[in-house]
Amino acid sequence: MVLDLTASSVELTRAICDIPSVSGDEKTLADEIEAAISAYGHLEVIRHGNTIVARTDLGRAQRVAIAGHIDTVPINGNVPTKDIEIDGQPYLWGRGTVDMKAGTAVQLKLAAELSDPVVDITWMWYDNEEVEASKNGLALLAADRPELFAADFAILGEPSNGEVEGGCNGTLRAVVRTHGVRAHAARAWIGENAIHKAAPILSRLAEYRAREVEVEGLLYRESLSAVRIAGGVAGNVIPDACEVEVNYRFAPSASAAEAEEHIRSVLAGFDVEITDAAEGARPGLDAPIAKQFVEAVGAVPQPKYGWTDVARFSALGIPAVNYGPGDPHLAHHDEERVPLAQIDAVERGLRAWLTSH
């Protein structure tokens, strides 16, 4: 098939959602995007792996980076898409409709149509966002082609219910280990049960009260959760090891180093290994260009609780926000669905700002 970038954003969403692109398997969709966008002479098109970049070069005073990932979490019987109605409101149902192919579809349509925007634009559609950071297409592009990230402002098309979500929480993962002594379960007193020793870890996490932290006028809610527990040898053996994996979502006022210090404080006395950490992103909504954007789309800024690639731009000193159709609560859900009206509204908002501010 050939993507038709003159179609409506809704139809374009349907088309790209119906091309499976689970993380690691984005080549087919990347090929389609490259072929479609290369037909537009006002754009310089650059391919880096399965990441596609399309840039205007009009000599404008400011440049905006607008990015969206093209991968999804695994499909679970929810492709192809279908039209549904809830309380009289039309939706498009299926994997990727929320996270985040509706946002990507809007971007593709506008990239094709806006040959004379009031700012120069660097459009980025990238792979492997849903998996480990070492595979992230945006991160790999930044390492090889950092000059492509030059911008005064950045927008990620992550689902935000058609509102503006500023910055994002940081995220940290840790493995907390307990150690014991193996023994026959019939003589349990001979050994030391490592799974039992994990009980205080779970108690501390269950009793933990997550903080709410105000950052530049937005109230970020943190969370500290056990996300995995593993242990055991056999049905008749006292286990000598147990692991509890913990995920900490921390407000962007804190650094990853400060988040690690907090985790170690909460879990003092236990063997804690930090396995992954990503800095959050401050909202950056005090930048004049960010204020213009928020005013143009008529949004009331909200905090972004999940981590998104806005953090990559924030780390470069570029204010960045999330703005896309879809309810974040339905991201990765088997009933993932997006209101058609939100797709149209986000397209109108972006178009208005990019052509008149």
Side-chain angles (χ1 to χ4, degrees):
M1 66 174 293
V2 177
L3 291 178
D4 179 6
L5 302 189
T6 67
S8 71
S9 290
V10 169
E11 290 306 313
L12 198 50
T13 300
R14 188 192 315 279
I16 64 175
C17 284
D18 286 345
I19 301 174
S21 58
V22 175
S23 303
D25 190 28
E26 300 97 332
K27 184 178 184 304
T28 298
L29 180 54
D31 289 346
E32 290 287 341
I33 290 173
E34 181 184 23
I37 206 68
S38 294
Y40 294 87
H42 63 278
L43 296 169
E44 175 195 9
V45 178
I46 301 158
R47 181 158 183 165
H48 184 272
N50 287 325
T51 292
I52 312 298
V53 177
R55 304 172 74 249
T56 64
D57 189 12
L58 302 170
R60 303 295 193 232
Q62 293 179 305
R63 178 173 291 275
V64 175
I66 304 179
H69 63 82
I70 63 173
D71 62 320
T72 72
V73 297
I75 294 165
N76 189 24
N78 47 6
V79 169
T81 54
K82 63 182 180 183
D83 293 294
I84 64 172
E85 189 172 291
I86 299 175
D87 296 329
Q89 184 176 8
Y91 287 77
L92 185 64
W93 172 97
R95 176 64 76 227
T97 53
V98 170
D99 194 8
M100 57 158 282
K101 289 184 174 179
T104 298
V106 168
Q107 295 171 6
L108 285 166
K109 180 172 178 60
L110 292 179
E113 292 186 4
L114 300 184
S115 59
D116 191 30
V118 295
V119 291
D120 270 312
I121 308 172
T122 302
W123 304 94
M124 299 174 165
W125 302 291
Y126 61 102
D127 61 330
N128 280 310
E129 190 271 349
E130 300 288 5
V131 292
E132 58 267 33
S134 61
K135 297 180 179 179
N136 184 292
L138 207 60
L140 296 175
L141 181 69
D144 289 347
R145 299 290 304 273
E147 74 280 6
L148 295 177
F149 284 74
D152 300 284
F153 183 53
I155 302 168
L156 268 289
E158 291 282 358
S160 63
N161 266 323
E163 299 292 342
V164 172
E165 292 184 335
C168 68
N169 276 338
T171 182
L172 177 149
R173 288 202 302 269
V175 174
V176 190
R177 297 184 175 90
T178 58
H179 308 278
V181 177
R182 289 192 192 188
H184 196 296
R187 301 172 185 83
W189 59 90
I190 302 299
E192 296 179 15
N193 194 311
I195 292 178
H196 292 181
K197 288 184 177 183
I201 299 171
L202 299 178
S203 292
R204 290 189 198 181
L205 295 173
E207 294 167 3
Y208 182 84
R209 294 296 173 261
R211 300 180 297 190
E212 292 187 341
V213 182
E214 185 173 321
V215 183
E216 297 176 15
L218 299 183
L219 192 63
Y220 290 83
R221 185 173 181 176
E222 298 188 331
S223 62
L224 178 59
S225 310
V227 294
R228 182 183 64 88
I229 187 165
V233 180
N236 59 353
V237 177
I238 298 302
D240 62 342
C242 182
E243 292 185 348
V244 180
E245 186 174 7
V246 174
N247 182 221
Y248 178 35
R249 301 295 176 130
F250 55 94
S253 54
S255 67
E258 290 168 330
E260 177 179 345
E261 183 179 346
H262 182 66
I263 284 285
R264 294 191 183 279
S265 174
V266 172
L267 298 171
F270 290 98
D271 175 6
V272 177
E273 178 191 359
I274 307 301
T275 57
D276 187 39
E279 303 279 358
R282 300 183 73 93
L285 294 171
D286 54 347
I289 191 169
K291 291 179 179 178
Q292 292 167 358
F293 171 72
V294 170
E295 182 178 350
V297 300
V300 177
Q302 305 291 329
K304 187 69 169 180
Y305 297 134
W307 187 92
T308 77
D309 280 303
V310 294
R312 301 192 189 282
F313 292 96
S314 180
L316 296 171
I318 303 167
V321 299
N322 305 277
Y323 179 62
D327 183 348
H329 291 96
L330 291 174
H332 305 182
H333 198 288
D334 285 345
E335 294 301 320
E336 195 172 349
R337 59 188 183 271
V338 62
L340 304 192
Q342 270 189 18
I343 300 175
D344 291 337
V346 168
E347 180 191 332
R348 287 195 303 272
L350 271 179
R351 184 189 300 276
W353 183 66
L354 292 169
T355 56
S356 65
H357 87 274

